[in-house]
Amino acid sequence: MKDVNIQYYVEGEDEKKLLEVLKNKLKVIKPGKVLKLNVVTKRISDAVLRTLKNGTIVVLVFDTDTKDLDILEQNIKKLKEYRFISSVITIPQVPNLEGELIHSCNIKRITELLNSRSKSEFKSDLIHVSNLDSKLTEHGFDIKLFWNQQPKPPYHQILNEAYKIKIER
């Protein structure tokens, strides 16, 4: 069977770090290349599309804590029309990465995950922590609970297709 190319587009460095850990250390999502590109606020350029190999599966990971969907919808439409892409998988984070981590770990506040002093320091701590996999495990991270929520309006019409890339054990 031919290798499948998966291209993940994530909003920020914190999501990029988390996806690298989820695919390489915890092995709970399918392997693929992870690039930072906020598909809610930035249009996908033709130059970006030209870098994709034939048959690539594109996975869009994005927060749902903003109200404007125009650019996101344009990006999804453009990707679905591009001939080299075999499918587009959408993963809305409800309402954002921190909310997903609270939902899927045994924590009440996001600062508990990495012993961060504040919510604002959490993102920086996440990017710089060297043992994120053990911190997630320590706090009972459950891939079945991560990315399993359907977003509220105006994002409710965008399917959460995270099940397509999860490797559940």
Side-chain angles (χ1 to χ4, degrees):
M1 192 169 138
K2 200 170 90 173
D3 286 337
V4 176
N5 291 311
I6 297 179
Q7 175 66 65
Y8 293 93
Y9 290 114
V10 298
E11 187 172 305
E13 287 299 323
D14 47 347
E15 281 97 352
K16 185 175 180 184
K17 169 77 175 260
L18 179 64
L19 264 71
E20 294 293 348
V21 168
L22 293 178
K23 70 183 176 89
N24 295 327
K25 292 191 176 178
L26 296 177
K27 299 188 185 317
V28 293
I29 63 170
K30 293 181 180 175
K33 189 173 181 185
V34 182
L35 289 176
K36 189 177 98 168
L37 175 67
N38 188 339
V39 294
V40 174
T41 61
K42 188 169 189 225
R43 286 185 174 77
I44 294 176
S45 68
D46 291 337
V48 166
L49 290 177
R50 284 192 290 272
T51 65
L52 301 174
K53 294 179 182 169
N54 195 18
T56 297
I57 296 169
V58 172
V59 181
L60 305 177
V61 180
F62 52 91
D63 291 352
T64 60
D65 54 3
T66 62
K67 298 291 180 220
D68 191 8
L69 295 182
D70 291 346
I71 293 173
L72 175 63
E73 289 172 338
Q74 290 169 21
N75 282 334
I76 292 170
K77 183 176 188 276
K78 183 174 188 170
L79 289 166
K80 287 184 174 180
E81 291 173 351
Y82 194 66
R83 63 187 172 104
F84 286 119
I85 296 173
S86 65
S87 67
V88 178
I89 296 172
T90 50
I91 303 179
Q93 297 188 122
V94 179
N96 52 31
L97 177 62
E98 294 87 343
E100 290 289 349
L101 287 169
I102 291 168
H103 183 73
S104 60
C105 293
N106 294 324
I107 57 175
K108 292 193 183 344
R109 291 179 308 283
I110 196 60
T111 53
E112 295 171 37
L113 185 63
L114 303 175
N115 294 320
S116 301
R117 287 187 290 196
S118 66
K119 263 171 84 169
S120 58
E121 282 188 18
F122 170 75
K123 284 186 183 275
S124 175
D125 291 348
L126 178 66
I127 292 166
H128 296 102
V129 70
S130 60
N131 62 339
L132 181 57
D133 56 326
S134 47
K135 289 289 188 182
L136 289 167
T137 303
E138 175 186 325
H139 291 286
F141 175 77
D142 187 346
I143 190 63
K144 292 180 187 113
L145 296 175
F146 190 69
W147 294 335
N148 78 340
Q149 304 172 85
Q150 196 56 36
K152 293 175 176 38
Y155 289 85
H156 64 291
Q157 294 181 355
I158 298 174
L159 293 177
N160 184 339
E161 301 173 301
Y163 67 92
K164 293 181 179 181
I165 56 101
K166 288 182 182 181
I167 303 170
E168 295 187 24
R169 302 192 188 280

